[in-house]
Amino acid sequence: MSEGAGKKEEKPRKFQAIRGTRDLLPPETLLWNRVEQTAHEVFGTFGYGEIRVPIFEPTELFARAVGGETDIVSKEMYTFSNPKSLPAMVREGRTEGTLAEMLPEAEMISLRPEATASVCRAYIEHNMQQQPQPVKLYYMGPMFRRERPQKGRYRQFYQIGAEVLGGSDAPAIDAEVIEMVMTFFGRLELQGVQLDINSIGDRNCRPKYVELLRAELLKVKDKLGPDSQRRIETNPLRVLDSKLESEQAIIAKLPHIADHLCEECAAHYAAVKHQLEMRGVIYRENWRLVRGLDYYMRTTFEITAQGLGSQNAVCGGGRYDGLVELLGGPPTKGIGFAIGEDRLILSLQESTSSLSASGKGAVATGRDVYIAWMGERAHATAIRAAKDLRKAGFSVELPPVEQKFGKALGQADKLGAKYALILGDNEVSEGLWTLKTLADGSQAKLTEPDLLNFLKREKAKADPSLRSG
Ligand code: HAM
């Protein structure tokens, strides 16, 4: 009798990815890799170096940088206690001290909801202010926010971002950062790209504008929804972000920040616009663009693209002078952006027809060569052939067990292979291999070196960029 007999048979639990997370599968991952490779290339040409920061950090870092009242920090972070430090700190009664002293032992840690705070932390930690300024860094990787999942909005999502830290706040820096994103999107042939810019002032002029806005909002409070009513107190600027249909007419009558910028901010904004024009970057001014993170000042921008529905912001960014100082570093200028990679990919997929028409968006799914072998001697030759073909850059499928040729060819077809290399005892003893082109069924007998040359020539025909001079 087996052990489990007599017991009610329990079905093993079927696991599924947690809500708001998902698997990225081939062939889609080829597109992800192409996007990331393009980012490495384009950002490299602008002199940026890659930084990789941890996926979790002290909660306090994000609370300080992004802002305790923001949706991200107040509702959306995945936070847990750091089991080692928490009891130790409590046991030893070490709950006082400056933020800098507390940070290394912060009791709560969070999965990163964004990476700007981490990059600033790293800038301070590694004394990057001693390097030639500005320091230009980019990153890519997963971020975590407990938002309500929908198309283009996930709880684990991916960003590709860049930050410029230190040096001056010259408007040309703002413009070049924006030019870089637009160049990247251009290289990917992203469709329907729309760049919105704004200036939200600085410590001098913004508080006065916020007060004016609050006063105006209080007059119409009854006509606003509960979220906006709450924001009159917590962050009136965020009311401008509202997408509620019923609030649009009210918002349209509110004072514009552009009319309330101090002289320095107004001059900076005018110069950023001029610098964008010098670079041929087309923008639209959007006075309601305030962004949902607290660290911004002066320049803010957002980019939308086609095919994304309501979650259509594919990139957001802005200037954040003062953030490094807020995190315990020296006074430092800063500006950057983050692209939502999931949304970028969605938008690219929506327009695949136009992309594949140009050849660049076409994603190869199949193998170049399927090796159909029969017999022990042929197996040894097949293993060697696979090694040589892969070394030459071809994608090769080598079946692990012998198959009848008919079945092997069927399998090759299903995998979308371009060629089947047929290796039986005859082929091996004659030294002439049979190569079948699966698209038209034609066959050729080739020696080993001829085979390699033939495949290389055919590949170059299909992709002219591989043709040598
Ligand atoms: P953010 O606007 O919060 O800015 O996010 C940037 C982009 O990330 C968004 O425009 C969107 O494409 C994508 N994104 C955000 N949340 C989600 C989500 N739940 N699912 C899918 N995609 C999402 C920042 O994170 C700043 N750190 C950007 C920055 C860098 N500013 C200065 N430097």
Side-chain angles (χ1 to χ4, degrees):
M1 231 188 185
S2 73
E3 251 179 56
K7 275 193 208 158
K8 197 171 155 225
E9 211 156 280
E10 256 182 51
K11 260 199 182 165
R13 174 176 168 192
K14 231 167 127 191
F15 292 98
Q16 279 185 334
I18 288 176
R19 190 168 130 84
T21 72
R22 63 208 178 113
D23 303 306
L24 304 171
L25 307 171
E28 194 183 299
T29 39
L30 287 173
L31 183 55
W32 283 75
N33 282 327
R34 185 169 72 83
V35 162
E36 287 165 16
Q37 188 51 41
T38 307
H40 289 299
E41 285 165 19
V42 172
F43 296 178
T45 63
F46 281 79
Y48 285 67
E50 185 184 1
I51 181 169
R52 299 190 186 197
V53 290
I55 282 188
F56 52 85
E57 300 262 12
T59 304
E60 180 71 15
L61 174 70
F62 302 118
R64 277 244 147 178
V66 177
E69 295 291 337
T70 59
D71 286 351
I72 296 177
V73 170
S74 66
K75 317 194 255 211
E76 296 170 0
M77 285 208 296
Y78 287 92
T79 296
F80 37 100
S81 66
N82 195 352
K84 264 198 179 150
S85 71
L86 182 61
M89 286 182 73
V90 174
R91 208 171 41 239
E92 294 160 25
R94 286 180 294 121
T95 47
E96 279 175 352
T98 64
L99 177 74
E101 285 160 4
M102 297 278 289
L103 274 182
E105 290 190 312
E107 48 201 16
M108 302 306 282
I109 55 182
S110 295
L111 298 184
R112 62 182 188 194
E114 61 107 55
T116 308
S118 304
V119 173
C120 290
R121 196 251 321 121
Y123 178 86
I124 301 167
E125 187 170 336
H126 304 288
N127 286 319
M128 290 191 218
Q129 70 273 14
Q130 282 163 16
Q131 296 175 14
Q133 304 292 301
V135 174
K136 303 199 271 188
L137 299 166
Y138 74 94
Y139 52 84
M140 46 185 81
M143 310 291 158
F144 306 86
R145 296 183 194 174
R146 199 186 357 251
E147 294 192 82
R148 194 170 50 76
Q150 65 180 86
K151 180 185 173 191
R153 189 160 74 190
Y154 311 98
R155 291 179 167 179
Q156 173 171 339
F157 61 99
Y158 294 79
Q159 282 188 344
I160 300 177
E163 314 291 348
V164 181
L165 288 158
S168 83
D169 61 356
I173 296 181
D174 306 45
E176 198 191 68
V177 163
I178 296 172
E179 181 192 3
M180 183 169 86
V181 197
M182 298 302 270
T183 304
F184 173 58
F185 286 163
R187 187 74 63 85
L188 291 171
E189 297 179 32
L190 184 67
Q191 304 294 303
V193 177
Q194 167 74 55
L195 163 69
D196 280 13
I197 63 166
N198 192 19
S199 172
I200 56 165
D202 66 4
R203 253 173 275 171
N204 285 324
C205 51
R206 191 173 33 190
K208 286 179 219 148
Y209 172 71
V210 170
E211 275 323 305
L212 175 70
L213 196 60
R214 184 174 278 134
E216 291 301 313
L217 285 167
L218 280 172
K219 291 184 199 161
V220 291
K221 186 171 178 182
D222 297 347
K223 295 185 193 136
L224 298 171
D227 277 347
S228 292
Q229 288 199 1
R230 190 171 38 79
R231 285 179 172 146
I232 297 179
E233 295 312 319
T234 57
N235 188 354
L237 281 178
R238 293 283 291 161
V239 176
L240 304 182
D241 249 2
S242 161
K243 306 238 157 55
L244 268 188
E245 205 40 59
S246 58
E247 295 180 345
Q248 300 308 308
I250 304 164
I251 293 171
K253 294 197 200 105
L254 293 169
H256 290 203
I257 189 158
D259 302 327
H260 299 271
L261 293 177
C262 61
E263 230 172 87
E264 290 80 11
C265 287
H268 191 270
Y269 186 39
V272 169
K273 288 185 280 184
H274 176 63
Q275 286 287 334
L276 285 172
E277 282 148 26
M278 283 170 67
R279 289 166 166 78
V281 175
I282 296 165
Y283 60 84
R284 178 173 73 180
E285 285 184 78
N286 178 356
W287 71 276
R288 288 177 54 178
L289 179 63
V290 293
R291 313 269 305 123
L293 302 86
D294 279 359
Y295 49 61
Y296 292 113
M297 50 103 57
R298 290 194 172 165
T299 312
T300 55
F301 58 97
E302 230 162 64
I303 302 170
T304 53
Q306 88 175 18
L308 290 172
S310 65
Q311 301 304 312
N312 64 350
V314 75
C315 173
R319 178 163 282 288
Y320 50 83
D321 303 349
L323 177 55
V324 168
E325 207 175 342
L326 187 70
L327 298 175
T332 307
K333 309 288 183 198
I335 181 167
F337 64 82
I339 294 161
E341 193 176 355
D342 308 73
R343 293 182 192 177
L344 173 57
I345 299 275
L346 269 175
S347 183
L348 289 173
Q349 285 169 333
E350 291 284 325
S351 52
T352 16
S353 48
S354 59
L355 277 165
S356 43
S358 73
K360 288 185 187 155
V363 164
T365 54
R367 317 292 191 277
D368 292 312
V369 183
Y370 188 99
I371 305 185
W373 59 270
M374 271 190 85
E376 263 322 292
R377 269 183 73 205
H379 194 188
T381 307
I383 290 170
R384 190 167 49 75
K387 204 186 277 261
D388 291 345
L389 286 169
R390 286 172 180 149
K391 197 169 165 194
F394 294 100
S395 149
V396 178
E397 190 66 31
L398 178 65
V401 292
E402 191 175 74
Q403 290 169 323
K404 296 244 162 61
F405 284 129
K407 187 169 175 211
L409 290 176
Q411 192 69 11
D413 229 17
K414 273 191 211 148
L415 289 174
K418 291 195 194 82
Y419 303 98
L421 176 61
I422 298 168
L423 292 178
D425 284 343
N426 284 348
E427 278 83 3
V428 173
S429 47
E430 281 173 20
L432 275 179
W433 299 356
T434 305
L435 188 74
K436 188 176 168 100
T437 306
L438 290 163
D440 59 12
S442 62
Q443 287 197 175
K445 290 234 168 209
L446 300 162
T447 63
E448 195 175 341
D450 281 350
L451 171 88
L452 205 59
N453 287 332
F454 173 83
L455 289 174
K456 281 185 184 161
R457 261 200 321 274
E458 290 300 307
K459 193 165 190 161
K461 266 193 223 160
D463 184 352
S465 68
L466 294 177
R467 246 175 258 165
S468 53

